[in-house]
Amino acid sequence: MKLKMLLLLLVGTLLTTSCKETKTETPNSSETSNATVYYNGDIITMEGDTPEYVEALVVKDGKIAFAGNSNEAMTVAGPGHKMINLDEHTLLPGFMDGHGHAWNAGFQAVSANLLPAPDGEGKSIDDIIRLLNDWKAKNTEAISKYGAIVGFGYDDSQLKEKRHPTADDLDKVSTEVPVFIIHQSGHLASTNHKGLDAAGYIAGVQDPAGGSIRREEGTDIPNGVLEEMASFIPLIKFMSTLDTKANELIAKAGIEAYIKFGYTTVQEGRATSDNCETWKTLANRNELPVDVAAYPDIQSQMDYMLANGDSDHYTNHYRIAGVKLSLDGSPQGKTAWLTKPYVVPPPGKSKDYRGYPAIKEDTEVTRFVDSAYAHNWQILTHCNGDASGDQLIKAVTKATETYGQKDRRPVMIHSQTVRFDQLDQMKALGMSPSFFSMHTYYWGDWHRDETLGKERAYKISPTATALKKGMIFTEHHDAPVALPSSIMILHTTVNRVSRSGDIIGPDERVSPYIGLCSLTKWAAHQYFEEDSKGTLKAGKLADLVILDQNPLKIDPMSIKDIQVLETIKEGNTVYKK
């Protein structure tokens, strides 16, 4: 403990464990304080362009009352306040979700975990079958009720066989009920023959618009592997069978997955009306421990948005913050829409295969963006490929010409293969990127060798270039594509080291402080919430996270080992390790 802090404590108590608390008392005074003082740790305010530390933080009534020196902190806290000894741990503003799908993160949590290492055991197709059978044995009641076996997170790029499981493979799990497994990207899936039958995917069936049904070689017979809309259609049908209780349990599981990584604001990206109503119900019952910001899908939820609109404030920790638009697929699944061909095209595709758009007609994209601008809805748009980026920039340019360039803060979600010239155009339009630098670890080798080639792979999520151009950005996990790990986001944003140890774009690495900015104050700006969140400043919400180590003071390669000790929302602990 600092000496002057010891002198200020009226009743000194020796604290031997982290984040323990005690209470000061004032003789001959009936006055008590509801304030809490955090001290004896690295308290990083995130206020400046460079790291700023304070000795103490005072929280009152769910807000930050003071951040500064110990003497003044004691005065602001008043008599009878509570003291929290950080025990030399690190205190930061609570992390904010640049982009994710909170309900789907819960769906992932309750499904069979098919993720590859380090997040699961899905190393081979035999592993996938084993994991599904294990889940089947433990979830007989759910399978009987909902009529499906569901798994999440398989990744063909990490499977020993380097291919997707097929209907023949998944028949080894069941031939009696549909087996539906979702690719880690969320943009592909595979199902057994029972699942194909249930979806109506029989020999000769046409591909749905915006999707592709892969076939057995040399035939028109579906092989079980589904891309984009072809995978979404049966998944949406399954989701519709879930009752209110199941939807709420899944939503809560999503929140639990987030808060253990220090998130105090989470996102429901590309929300359905059912998602929104689930969150709203939980909010009305005061069952949301952190803020949930929903972005309904503008393509399918226009009527819902017109009826419910968006809000600049939370009601019981829930608000509709804007809309979501999706223009292509995923690079790791080879469905993102590129201007140059994939290095190794998917089976059956030509050497000039570039992926494909989710919406073919530019006029349709323009119509959706125009609607968002007309209603003053913030729009977040999924663009993994640079061709989809061109499509978005064209639409935003037209909408800006029509409605003027106000402070709308449109966001290009993922911006994986965004070109440097596109960053210039985005800056001029007031559009910011939300990068997915976790790809540098999870799929960096795959992009280098299979999808993009070294030159393009080394430029994915070009954080340093955006920074040099005077842009701010956020970073995200896109849960359930990856676990909602703020720590892994920070690690990959700073280091960009792949599974094999290759640095995927050395010139695009940024400092740990910049990485923290993307999770805190820049994320608050993306949400239009910079006046209430993102930094430790008097008057802002007491949304806090406590880490066991300071990311700014350790070897950057050790960032991945940092542990979240506690998550605090408006002064209340919502998670403690």
Side-chain angles (χ1 to χ4, degrees), residues 139-148:
N139 292 273
T140 54
E141 184 177 344
I143 294 167
S144 175
K145 183 174 183 178
Y146 299 112

Side-chain angles (χ1 to χ4, degrees), residues 334 340-355:
K334 300 184 181 179
K340 295 180 180 179
Y342 283 88
V343 173
V344 180
K349 302 296 184 182
S350 66
K351 65 180 180 180
D352 64 349
Y353 172 80
R354 294 172 170 82

Side-chain angles (χ1 to χ4, degrees), residues 51 127 140 154 179 214 313 352 371 407 472 497 522 536 564 574:
D127 287 332
T140 54
Y154 85 90
V179 178
R214 294 192 185 180
H313 68 276
D352 64 349
S371 295
D407 186 18
I472 65 171
V497 174
W522 293 347
L536 304 183
V564 172
V574 295

Side-chain angles (χ1 to χ4, degrees), residues 412-429:
M412 184 186 287
I413 297 294
H414 306 321
S415 299
Q416 283 286 75
T417 59
V418 65
R419 303 187 308 269
F420 296 173
D421 65 292
Q422 289 177 320
L423 289 174
D424 292 329
Q425 295 174 72
M426 291 166 64
K427 183 180 179 183
L429 291 166

